[in-house]
Amino acid sequence: MEKEEEAAAVMEEIIYVAVGRETAKNKSNLTWAIDNSQGNKICIVLVHQPPHMIPLLGTRFDAATVDEELVKSYREKQKAKTEKILDEYLRICLKKGVHAEKLCVEMDSIEKGIVKMIYENKVRKLIMGAAADKHYSTKMEELRSRKAIFVCQHASPTCCIRFICKGHLIHTRKGRMDEVRALSALLSDFQRLVSSRSSSNSDMLSGSSKVKSDVEEEEGTSRTSSSRSAGTLSYSGGSEASPSVTEDKSNHSSPPPSLPCTGMGLGMISILIHSTKLWHKRAIQNHKQCE
């Protein structure tokens, strides 16, 4: 029972919400995500772009031309500001009675940072802006943000993405069912492995016993033939051993071939099957919720 609860906790759903640095302009989208989270965990994502222009002596210089310590100090301050912005989003969630997590992604490109985050965290549900609020209209159906279009085109195909504008759902990119089919095939493989493992082990043991008896019988024959050959060779004055005897010994000395996955216990296989079933169930639920 403990193993099942532990596996279920691993499979728990997380909804990732990509936001910008201005909380006022992203609050409506975050509110929509909270209202439609259906009790799932929320992770607020903000892409931090390390500054390449460093302010110095009333002007700005390229980071490559400024002292490394000054660049490092300035970038650390900017990173700290990003963390404070994320904390503001967390406070918005707490006011609505929702416990959320934060994730800061560091990359020069915001849209590429979101795509990378999706792949690295195996994100299956993402909510982000479709455009700035000023572009919203009741007839709006297309993505107008360059970042949104890029993420829609390049994100993992198994990730369901909802694009929001001014607190309204504009477009949904459904996650493909490739993952469900892959999990079904994996589950079938595990089940076949379990059903065949017992019979394979018994066959291997009986085969090993037969090989052992055959080896003992052949060794007895080989010893007899070897003594006869030795007598013949000593009588004829030869000093070379019989090649057939050497070949027989080398053939019977090799161990029987090992079966694949013989080191994996039935308990471990059962855990894998149970985890795969949970993944399979969760993937189907995600697909249905995106429809």
Side-chain angles (χ1 to χ4, degrees):
M1 190 65 180
E2 293 181 358
K3 291 182 179 179
E4 293 181 0
E5 293 177 355
E6 184 178 351
V10 173
M11 306 300 171
E12 190 172 5
E13 188 68 50
I14 299 178
I15 298 177
Y16 291 76
V17 184
V19 296
R21 299 185 67 84
E22 300 183 44
T23 55
K25 293 183 178 180
N26 290 266
K27 185 177 180 180
S28 58
N29 293 345
L30 178 58
T31 301
W32 187 94
I34 294 172
D35 295 339
N36 293 272
S37 62
Q38 298 178 346
N40 292 319
K41 287 185 177 180
I42 290 180
C43 181
I44 301 172
V45 182
L46 180 58
V47 178
H48 172 72
Q49 297 173 290
H52 293 284
M53 300 301 294
I54 311 300
L56 189 64
L57 300 175
T59 185
R60 290 180 177 272
F61 295 89
D62 187 278
T65 64
V66 181
D67 181 73
E68 291 184 2
E69 290 297 325
L70 292 175
V71 174
K72 182 180 179 181
S73 176
Y74 180 72
R75 286 181 173 176
E76 287 179 351
K77 291 179 181 179
Q78 296 302 310
K79 183 72 176 292
K81 289 182 179 180
T82 301
E83 293 291 341
K84 289 183 179 180
I85 295 172
L86 280 169
D87 291 337
E88 291 181 21
Y89 284 115
L90 292 180
R91 282 192 288 269
I92 294 174
C93 295
L94 287 176
K95 288 180 180 179
K96 287 186 166 292
V98 176
H99 177 73
E101 301 173 352
K102 65 179 181 179
L103 176 61
C104 181
V105 179
E106 189 167 326
M107 202 164 193
D108 292 334
S109 169
I110 293 178
E111 54 269 32
K112 290 181 180 179
I114 294 175
V115 171
K116 181 182 178 183
M117 183 274 303
I118 292 173
Y119 278 101
E120 289 183 347
N121 294 275
K122 297 179 174 60
V123 177
R124 284 160 179 77
K125 282 189 178 182
L126 174 72
I127 297 174
M128 67 175 295
D133 287 353
K134 63 182 180 180
H135 296 301
Y136 174 75
S137 68
T138 55
K139 296 181 180 180
M140 183 178 178
E141 296 180 353
E142 298 179 354
L143 303 178
R144 298 185 182 180
S145 166
R146 175 179 54 83
K147 301 181 185 68
I149 294 173
F150 182 91
V151 173
C152 186
Q153 292 176 345
H154 296 87
S156 170
T158 59
C159 180
C160 175
I161 308 177
R162 290 184 172 92
F163 296 92
I164 313 299
C165 184
K166 205 174 182 179
H168 297 273
L169 178 62
I170 303 301
H171 176 73
T172 299
R173 194 201 77 160
K174 298 180 180 180
R176 291 195 337 221
M177 287 293 288
D178 297 14
E179 182 184 13
V180 177
R181 288 191 288 268
L183 289 173
S184 298
L186 182 61
L187 180 59
S188 299
D189 291 340
F190 278 138
Q191 289 175 335
R192 283 197 299 269
L193 180 60
V194 170
S195 60
S196 63
R197 182 171 175 79
S198 298
S199 58
S200 298
N201 287 341
S202 60
D203 291 342
M204 184 176 66
L205 290 174
S206 61
S208 299
S209 301
K210 186 177 183 303
V211 170
K212 183 178 180 181
S213 61
D214 291 343
V215 169
E216 291 175 351
E217 182 179 352
E218 290 294 335
E219 285 179 350
T221 306
S222 299
R223 283 194 295 267
T224 304
S225 58
S226 298
S227 59
R228 292 177 180 175
S229 299
T232 304
L233 290 173
S234 61
Y235 176 78
S236 59
S239 60
E240 296 181 356
S242 174
S244 60
V245 175
T246 305
E247 292 176 359
D248 289 342
K249 287 184 178 180
S250 61
N251 290 337
H252 292 299
S253 61
S254 59
S258 60
L259 296 175
C261 301
T262 52
M264 185 182 294
L266 290 175
M268 178 59 69
I269 295 175
S270 299
I271 293 175
L272 290 173
I273 290 176
H274 179 71
S275 300
T276 307
K277 285 181 178 178
L278 289 174
W279 274 109
H280 183 258
K281 181 180 179 181
R282 179 63 67 182
I284 293 176
Q285 290 176 350
N286 290 347
H287 181 73
K288 288 181 178 179
Q289 291 174 5
C290 289
E291 290 180 347

